Amino acid sequence: MSDPAPPGEFELIRRYFAPLAVGFPGAFNLLDDAAVLAPSLGHELVVTTDALIEGVHFLPDDPPDLIARKSLRVNLSDLAAKGARPRAYLLNLCLPPTATGAWIGSFARGLAKDQTAFGIHLIGGDTCKTPGPLTLAITAMGEVMEGAMIRRSGARPGDDLWVTGTIGDAALGLAVRRNALPGAGPKDRKFLVERYRCPEPRVAIGHRLVGVASAGMDVSDGLVQDLGHICSVSRVGAVVQAALVPLSAPVRRAVERDPGRFFDVVGGGDDYEILFTAPPQLGATVLDFAAAADVQVTRIGSIVAGSGVSVLDGAGQEMRIERAGFRHF
Ligand code: ADP
Ligand code: MG
C-alpha cells in the first residue's frame, strides 16, 4: 500500500528507528531523552560527524536506502581513518513536508543493512520538519586504545605514502550522472555511479593501522587537497608519483581516452579511501595487514622535508594541478 504522509514524530521514531537501536542496551529503545555509552576499558571514544544536504551531496531522485548508507559510510570512513572500531551513531533528520513514509522506510532499511555490515548501532537522534531541502547529519562514535587515534599530524620525512582502494571512481561517477563522461561504456558507467553512490569505508583495515600509520585521514575532498592537510598539520611536504595512483579499470580507460581526466581523479571528491603514511621499515607490515583485512593498499609516494604536495609524471616532471579538491566555500 502506498503511504504518502509520514506518521507523527513519535510513531515515526518507534516504527522506523527504534528497531535500529535493538542490541544496544544504552539506547533504551529510543524511549529516553538520551543514550549512555562507555568505551571499553583502556579505550577512548573517537567522535565524528558529517551532514548531507539534498541537492549538494545527493540528488532528489537518489534511492533513499543508498542515501542512508552513504551518510553512514562517510562517517564510518572517518572512524576507520582514525584507527577506530565503530560503536554507535546519532541521526539528525530534517525532513521537508513532502517526505513520505515510504521514503523514510526505505532510508531506515538502508541503515539497517549497513549497521549489520559494519557492526554499529543507532542510539539516538532528532527528527524535525524543515522548509528547506532534506538534510541529515550522522554523528558516529568509535573507539581506540587510549592515546592511539591516528592523527593528521604524525607524518615524517622519509615515510611512505599509502592509499587504500582506488582513487577517482566517485568523481567520474558524478561526471557520468552529469552526462559529462562521453565515451564510457554502460558497464563502466554503472561501476562508477555505484562507487559514487555507495562508497566502501575501509573499516576492516582502519583499526589495524594503529601503531603502524604515522598519520592518516580519509580522502573525501580530493587526494591532492587532503594530502595537503596532512602535510600542513605535520609540517612536511609530499611527493606523489602519478603513475602509482591506483585506478580502477573504468577510470584507467577514461584517462586513456582523455589524459586531462587525471586531474578529476586526483582533484575530485568522494573517494572515502584512507590516505596514510608509515615508516618504510613497516612497509611489509602494511601489506600483511592489508591482506588480512582484504583491502588493497598502494604506495603512491613519500613524505619529504619542506611543504606542499608535488605530483610527478612518468618523466619525473612536476604536474600542475589546477583543481586540488572540493570546497564548500
Ligand atoms: P527531545 O524531546 O529530547 O528532542 P525526542 O522526542 O526528539 O527527544 O526523541 C525521543 C527519542 O528518540 C530520543 O531518545 C532520541 O534520541 C530519539 N530520536 C529522535 N529522532 C531520532 C532519529 N532520527 N534517529 C534516532 N533516534 C531518534
Ligand atoms: Mg527531538
Side-chain angles (χ1 to χ4, degrees), residues 17-82:
F17 297 127
L20 302 177
V22 170
F24 198 98
F28 310 115
N29 296 316
L30 305 185
L31 291 170
D32 212 313
D33 297 295
V36 294
L37 170 62
S40 313
L41 196 66
H43 289 67
E44 302 179 300
L45 292 178
V46 174
V47 183
T48 180
T49 192
D50 266 304
L52 280 85
I53 303 167
E54 183 180 277
V56 179
H57 300 92
F58 58 90
L59 302 172
D61 61 340
D62 279 340
D65 57 327
L66 282 182
I67 297 169
R69 295 170 72 194
K70 182 165 180 177
S71 53
L72 188 52
R73 283 165 177 240
V74 300
N75 280 283
L76 288 165
S77 175
D78 274 314
L79 291 182
K82 301 293 97 183

Side-chain angles (χ1 to χ4, degrees), residues 9-10 12-13 17-18 27-35 89-93 122-128:
E9 181 184 338
F10 303 115
L12 186 153
I13 294 165
F17 297 127
F28 310 115
N29 296 316
L30 305 185
L31 291 170
D32 212 313
D33 297 295
Y89 67 101
L90 301 165
L91 168 67
N92 288 337
L93 195 52
L122 181 65
I123 61 165
D126 202 17
T127 307
C128 28

Side-chain angles (χ1 to χ4, degrees), residues 21-320:
V22 170
F24 198 98
F28 310 115
N29 296 316
L30 305 185
L31 291 170
D32 212 313
D33 297 295
V36 294
L37 170 62
S40 313
L41 196 66
H43 289 67
E44 302 179 300
L45 292 178
V46 174
V47 183
T48 180
T49 192
D50 266 304
L52 280 85
I53 303 167
E54 183 180 277
V56 179
H57 300 92
F58 58 90
L59 302 172
D61 61 340
D62 279 340
D65 57 327
L66 282 182
I67 297 169
R69 295 170 72 194
K70 182 165 180 177
S71 53
L72 188 52
R73 283 165 177 240
V74 300
N75 280 283
L76 288 165
S77 175
D78 274 314
L79 291 182
K82 301 293 97 183
R85 293 175 192 267
R87 289 287 310 276
Y89 67 101
L90 301 165
L91 168 67
N92 288 337
L93 195 52
C94 306
L95 298 167
T98 49
T100 62
W103 194 96
I104 301 165
S106 164
F107 182 86
R109 282 191 295 280
L111 290 178
K113 188 164 186 185
D114 276 356
Q115 278 194 200
T116 309
F118 297 105
I120 193 167
H121 289 90
L122 181 65
I123 61 165
D126 202 17
T127 307
C128 28
K129 196 171 274 184
T130 173
L134 195 150
T135 301
L136 63 115
I138 284 183
T139 301
M141 287 151 276
E143 63 181 36
V144 291
M145 298 273 279
E146 261 167 28
M149 189 183 92
I150 299 168
R151 309 274 311 273
R152 290 184 180 183
S153 58
R156 293 293 170 261
D159 282 355
D160 287 333
L161 183 61
W162 297 87
V163 72
T164 61
T166 53
I167 296 296
D169 300 329
L172 297 197
L174 184 60
V176 168
R177 292 218 66 195
R178 289 177 171 154
N179 265 324
L181 194 70
K187 269 197 183 145
D188 285 5
R189 298 167 72 86
K190 184 163 180 280
F191 170 86
L192 296 169
V193 169
E194 268 166 23
R195 287 277 285 156
Y196 167 69
R197 280 180 164 170
C198 200
E200 191 60 43
R202 303 303 179 180
V203 172
I205 193 171
H207 61 92
R208 298 177 206 254
L209 294 176
V210 169
V212 177
S214 49
M217 66 182 294
D218 82 322
V219 183
S220 57
D221 293 335
L223 179 71
V224 170
Q225 177 170 306
D226 285 337
L227 178 53
H229 294 317
I230 288 186
C231 288
S232 60
V233 181
S234 295
R235 299 170 176 274
V236 293
V239 177
V240 174
Q241 309 287 339
L244 296 182
V245 174
L247 307 181
S248 64
V251 166
R252 206 168 346 99
R253 282 190 277 273
V255 172
E256 275 162 14
R257 282 192 304 274
D258 172 6
R261 284 283 171 198
F262 185 72
F263 298 103
D264 296 341
V265 168
V266 294
D270 274 331
D271 291 302
Y272 301 107
E273 296 295 349
I274 304 179
L275 176 66
F276 63 98
T277 60
Q281 62 272 23
L282 293 181
T285 309
V286 169
L287 292 171
D288 282 351
F289 287 180
D294 198 19
V295 172
Q296 176 188 326
V297 295
T298 308
R299 198 187 77 86
I300 59 168
S302 307
I303 297 297
V304 295
S307 64
V309 175
S310 328
V311 182
L312 304 184
D313 66 17
Q317 294 293 309
E318 182 162 351
M319 300 170 79
R320 254 177 68 101

